[in-house]
Amino acid sequence: MWQKDIKSSTQDFLSQVTTTIDQQYLITGSVIQAGNQKKDAGNNTQQNNGYDFHLVKLNQQGDQVWEKYFSGNNHDYLSSTVATQEGGFLISGTSYSGKGIDKKDDSKGGSDIWLIRINEFGDELWQKILGTSADEEARAVIQTTDLGFVVAGNVQNASKGYGSKDILVIRLDKNGKELSQLILGGRGLDEVEKMIPTRDGGALLGIYSRSSEFRVSDSENQNSATGTSGIREGELEDREAGRQTTGSVNRKTRHQDLSESGIRLCLC
C-alpha cells in the first residue's frame, strides 16, 4: 500500500485515474502552471496563463515515470482518458483556445472538443479538434472493438439540436478520422455523464435528462419516445455511413428512461 502527493504551487483538478496496459497508472487533470513549473508541454516551452492538460504516469510502486502538459493559449480542461489496446492513451478535453502552443488547429467557434492521442511514453501521435460554431464540451471517450473511438460530450444551442443542451456522439477510426456524428436530445436540458463500450462495438451512455421526449438528429425518421411516467423506450435507425467492421453495419440507437428520475440510458 502507498499514497502519492502530486504537488503543485497552483490549482490542480483531477479528472481521472486510468490503469495502463502494463498495470501502471495514468493520472490526468487540469492545472494552471507556474512559470518555474513549465517542464514539458508537449515539448513546447511557451507559457500559457490558462488551464492546461496535465498528465502524470506512475509505476506500480507510485513512483513517477513521466509528466506531460498540453497547452493552448487559453483555458483547456481535460475531461476523460482511455487506455488503448495498443498501449497508449487517447485524452479528451474542452478547449477554449485557438491555434498555438501545443494546439495545432484553430478553434471552430466557441469551445471545442480537443483530442490528443499519445503513446505509452506520453509522445503525441495525433490530435484533432471536434466542434462547430456552437459550444461543445468533452465528457467521455472509449475505444471500440475495431480499435476506433467514440467520443461523447454536450453541445449548447446546436443548429441541428433540440434544446438548450444536447448530447453529441462522434465515432472516429484509430487514426482520428471522423466516421459519423449523432446529436441526441429533447426540448429540455440533456447531459451525458458516463459512457462504456459494448461487446458489439457500440457504446452505452448514461444521460441526465430534463426532457420528456428524446430524439436523434442524424436519422431519416426522427421518432420520439414520449410519456411522463414508467419505462419509455424508443428506437431510431442510425444510418451511419462509414461505420464498418467487416462490412457495412446499420446500428440502432435505443434509449430508455428510468421513471421520473431524470436518468436516461442510450445504446448507440
Side-chain angles (χ1 to χ4, degrees):
M1 301 288 291
W2 50 264
Q3 60 177 304
K4 179 78 173 181
D5 183 12
I6 300 175
K7 296 182 179 180
S8 170
S9 59
T10 61
Q11 283 189 317
D12 291 80
F13 293 98
L14 175 69
S15 64
Q16 192 168 331
V17 179
T18 306
T19 303
T20 66
I21 196 171
D22 56 357
Q23 300 304 306
Q24 298 188 36
Y25 308 99
L26 185 69
I27 316 300
T28 54
S30 307
V31 63
I32 293 180
Q33 300 181 66
N36 59 1
Q37 187 185 350
K38 194 79 171 182
K39 297 177 181 177
D40 188 358
N43 296 323
N44 197 315
T45 57
Q46 290 181 275
Q47 180 65 41
N48 165 45
N49 293 322
Y51 281 94
D52 300 324
F53 293 178
H54 186 202
L55 299 82
V56 179
K57 188 176 183 181
L58 307 177
N59 62 21
Q60 294 183 13
Q61 290 73 43
D63 300 320
Q64 182 174 306
V65 178
W66 50 256
E67 182 176 28
K68 293 280 183 176
Y69 299 88
F70 290 95
S71 308
N73 50 28
N74 206 329
H75 290 302
D76 303 291
Y77 302 98
L78 200 158
S79 303
S80 59
T81 307
V82 62
T84 66
Q85 299 177 44
E86 301 90 339
F89 307 92
L90 182 67
I91 59 176
S92 172
T94 303
S95 175
Y96 293 85
S97 298
K99 182 178 180 180
I101 310 184
D102 296 311
K103 192 175 181 183
K104 296 179 179 178
D105 295 313
D106 207 348
S107 169
K108 295 182 180 294
S111 59
D112 300 308
I113 297 174
W114 187 12
L115 303 176
I116 306 174
R117 186 167 182 182
I118 59 176
N119 62 20
E120 64 269 33
F121 306 109
D123 302 319
E124 180 185 321
L125 301 177
W126 53 260
Q127 62 172 268
K128 189 173 183 69
I129 301 298
L130 304 174
T132 63
S133 58
D135 288 322
E136 291 84 11
E137 58 182 10
R139 295 303 298 267
V141 61
I142 61 171
Q143 187 172 39
T144 53
T145 53
D146 61 358
L147 302 183
F149 302 95
V150 177
V151 181
N154 303 319
V155 56
Q156 295 189 32
N157 303 313
S159 60
K160 295 182 180 180
Y162 298 103
S164 59
K165 183 178 284 190
D166 298 301
I167 310 303
L168 178 65
V169 182
I170 300 175
R171 178 176 286 265
L172 309 169
D173 69 11
K174 64 180 181 180
N175 298 312
K177 179 182 178 182
E178 185 174 327
L179 301 178
S180 63
Q181 183 176 132
L182 293 174
I183 295 179
L184 305 90
R187 293 188 177 183
L189 181 146
D190 303 287
E191 295 181 319
V192 61
E193 298 291 342
K194 299 290 183 182
M195 179 172 61
I196 61 172
T198 60
R199 291 183 178 181
D200 65 351
L204 179 65
L205 283 73
I207 296 167
Y208 171 74
S209 178
R210 297 291 298 273
S211 299
S212 59
E213 298 183 350
F214 209 64
R215 303 185 181 189
V216 178
S217 66
D218 192 18
S219 58
E220 285 188 6
N221 301 311
Q222 294 191 0
N223 300 319
S224 300
T226 61
T228 58
S229 64
I231 295 179
R232 309 187 293 271
E233 293 186 355
E235 248 183 46
L236 300 171
E237 293 251 341
D238 170 14
R239 309 182 189 280
E240 295 178 342
R243 176 183 284 190
Q244 296 182 354
T245 51
T246 56
S248 179
V249 177
N250 280 342
R251 298 184 55 83
K252 288 185 177 181
T253 301
R254 300 178 179 88
H255 52 87
Q256 185 175 75
D257 279 0
L258 305 181
S259 191
E260 297 176 353
S261 62
I263 299 172
R264 190 185 298 270
L265 300 179
C266 185
L267 182 64
C268 297

